[in-house]
Amino acid sequence: MRNLVRPAIAVLAAAPCALSVPAKAADSVAWDIVAGLTTEVGQRLAGSEAESRARDWGAEKLKALGFRNVRIEPFPIRGYVRGIDKARIIAPVPQALAVTALGYSGATPDKGIEGEVVYFPTLAALKAAPDGSLTGRIAFIDHAMRAAQDGSGYGPYGQVRREGPGVAARKGALAVVIRSVGTDSHRNPHTGVTSWPEGVKPIPAGAVSNPDADLIARLAGMGKPLRLALTLTGKTVDGLPSGNVVADLPGRDPALPPVLVGCHLDSWDLGTGAIDDASGCAIVTAAALRTQVQGQTLRTIRVLWAGSEEIGGFGGEAYAKAHAEPHALAMESDFGADRVWRVQTKFAPADKALADRIVAALGVMGVVAGRGSANGGTDVEPVIAKQKLAVVDLGQDGTHYFDLHHTPDDTLDKVDPAALEQNVVAWTQVLAIVANADSIASTE
Ligand SMILES: [Zn+2]
């Protein structure tokens, strides 16, 4: 498909060679970080002892790579400590289910609960149910998320997980089970955080795998009473230790505000967080270093390996609060390890030439300019909002991202070294431009 629109031959002959990504990476920094974090630390649930080990691992790694001012910046969080997750259909046909608790789920007693299931094909259908109509019953919320290159299904369908349990609780439900917010057909449930409206008591909230959700929908369609047994014994705990890892590659002019590149260090606990988000930390760190190969950049490049993103974006908030010093621009990588296909920017009108240079540099590698504005992502959004920073978003191909996201399948073997390297090359192109720009205006 990519050759359907060809420039005229004369233009083609005059154009520079397309920047192809070499089969072998120029260095092994990115791969070493993804492999190291997933192997030597593994799963890194926000607020857990494993997340603390990940911070130590990260600080050591960044020092060894030559970063300066490497520090761990601690903060406490309200976290979720997983317990036992079990679910089975009791009637009309006994069947086992693959289930996971959502972050901040309410807890069942150790022996579990049982209840009649009320099937809602959509979140809107649940919202339309009369108040009190779910008392003593288990709400099941279905949805129809599909895979998309830009991952655009996650916004609207993700509301089933983020908002659905709170709606069910407000209507008196005993518990809530959702179709996983994911696009695979494996028997893996997808976890993720939910939230509860002010004054609403959390109820047990779980997600079943897509094939199990299909089964529940078919059984509900039989019109016979559908009953479920559910055990989710995890607990919400206040005051758990978390923290960010922050490190600098100092620029030639220390008086100029730095370029901030972010990712998150914590992961969900079902897999090992290879695509979410060890890859992001690997990409931004490797690119920051590779930018220095051509000589020290004018501006400092600062990396932020944020803690506790998954459970509520606490690392990004803590960073913005702790760092009132001016920044020039922020970027983040948190959408897996597949290839960059799109670039979007947010610059002040005065910096249009800078934006054009970035688009041109990436265009050579087949990355297209999107029509939207850049927003950065959870770990850098708070500092962007506070300081009205310029932003560049490198959009990764998300077609398969939600097959793996927050599942036991988020493991190292899913990371393609060639795609990871393409990310590092794209990021290096952008960082070489912005970290050497003598002026980057606020977007206010
Ligand atoms: Zn993530």
Side-chain angles (χ1 to χ4, degrees):
M1 290 295 283
R2 56 194 296 235
N3 289 328
L4 282 179
V5 182
R6 293 198 95 123
I9 297 295
V11 175
L12 200 67
C17 287
L19 182 71
S20 60
V21 177
K24 196 175 174 343
D27 59 68
S28 65
V29 173
W31 184 260
D32 289 349
I33 291 172
V34 189
L37 204 46
T38 53
T39 306
E40 294 164 36
V41 180
Q43 71 81 21
R44 318 171 281 287
L45 188 67
S48 68
E49 179 274 336
E51 196 202 25
S52 158
R53 276 190 286 116
R55 285 192 291 282
D56 293 341
W57 187 95
E60 280 297 304
K61 186 74 184 172
L62 289 163
K63 275 180 205 160
L65 288 169
F67 280 79
R68 304 284 177 80
N69 310 325
V70 180
R71 64 266 194 204
I72 291 172
E73 300 180 343
F75 53 84
I77 63 153
R78 167 174 283 195
Y80 181 74
V81 179
R82 191 173 298 282
I84 292 165
D85 298 342
K86 279 196 308 197
R88 64 192 158 82
I89 294 165
I90 303 168
V93 185
Q95 298 245 23
L97 301 171
V99 72
T100 179
L102 301 179
Y104 295 143
S105 168
T108 67
D110 289 350
K111 64 177 178 25
I113 54 166
E114 280 186 29
E116 181 197 348
V117 174
V118 185
Y119 175 86
F120 294 99
T122 61
L123 177 58
L126 170 67
K127 286 180 177 175
D131 283 351
S133 62
L134 295 175
T135 303
R137 299 153 99 190
I138 299 173
F140 179 83
I141 319 171
D142 209 338
H143 65 84
M145 180 175 170
R146 297 289 176 264
Q149 187 179 26
D150 64 359
S152 51
Y154 190 55
Y157 295 103
Q159 285 303 96
V160 168
R161 189 196 76 217
R162 297 179 207 107
E163 188 189 2
V167 175
R170 218 166 27 207
K171 291 181 187 291
L174 174 67
V176 55
V177 175
I178 66 166
R179 177 188 288 273
S180 282
V181 179
T183 51
D184 61 305
S185 60
H186 290 264
R187 212 168 185 193
N188 286 330
H190 298 233
T191 189
V193 74
T194 191
S195 64
W196 307 99
E198 199 65 40
V200 170
K201 187 170 180 288
I203 56 174
V208 292
S209 73
N210 270 316
D212 286 330
D214 294 343
L215 173 67
I216 288 170
R218 291 196 302 275
L219 289 171
M222 288 166 64
K224 296 179 183 168
L226 177 56
R227 290 185 67 79
L228 199 75
L230 186 67
T231 305
L232 303 172
T233 63
K235 300 270 190 310
T236 294
V237 181
D238 279 314
L240 293 178
S242 187
N244 292 328
V245 182
V246 183
D248 294 337
L249 288 175
R252 300 196 302 280
D253 185 351
L256 284 174
V259 167
L260 179 69
V261 295
C263 61
H264 67 87
L265 187 54
D266 66 305
S267 75
W268 280 105
D269 53 343
L270 304 182
T272 60
I275 65 149
D276 189 11
D277 185 26
S279 293
C281 291
I283 291 161
V284 305
T285 306
L289 280 169
R290 207 178 288 178
T291 309
Q292 313 297 312
V293 172
Q294 305 298 327
Q296 187 183 16
T297 49
L298 179 65
R299 287 173 192 273
T300 295
I301 301 178
R302 173 173 296 171
V303 299
L304 163 63
W305 291 16
S308 293
E309 187 270 352
E310 295 289 5
I311 200 78
F314 296 121
E317 295 286 351
Y319 180 85
K321 208 171 156 196
H323 293 273
E325 72 275 16
H327 295 67
L329 174 143
M331 297 175 65
E332 173 180 306
S333 179
D334 185 15
F335 202 55
D338 277 345
R339 285 173 169 74
V340 173
W341 69 280
R342 181 177 70 180
V343 55
Q344 302 195 121
T345 63
K346 185 164 94 181
F347 281 103
D351 287 331
K352 186 178 180 302
L354 207 53
D356 290 346
R357 274 180 67 201
I358 290 168
V359 168
L362 292 169
V364 177
M365 17 181 338
V367 175
V368 299
R371 294 199 183 96
S373 179
N375 57 37
T378 307
D379 301 310
V380 292
E381 267 167 5
V383 71
I384 290 168
K386 224 169 160 180
Q387 301 193 7
K388 312 289 178 219
L389 298 180
V391 189
V392 180
D393 282 348
L394 294 182
Q396 292 160 288
D397 189 332
T399 311
H400 301 295
Y401 184 65
F402 292 105
D403 293 349
L404 306 171
H405 182 249
H406 300 183
T407 73
D409 257 354
D410 181 0
T411 49
L412 182 63
D413 53 297
K414 311 306 186 303
V415 178
D416 171 7
L420 189 70
E421 172 63 11
Q422 189 265 8
N423 275 270
V424 177
V425 171
W427 270 78
T428 304
Q429 295 281 321
V430 177
L431 289 182
I433 294 170
V434 295
N436 286 306
D438 49 17
S439 124
I440 301 176
S442 152
T443 59
E444 198 156 34

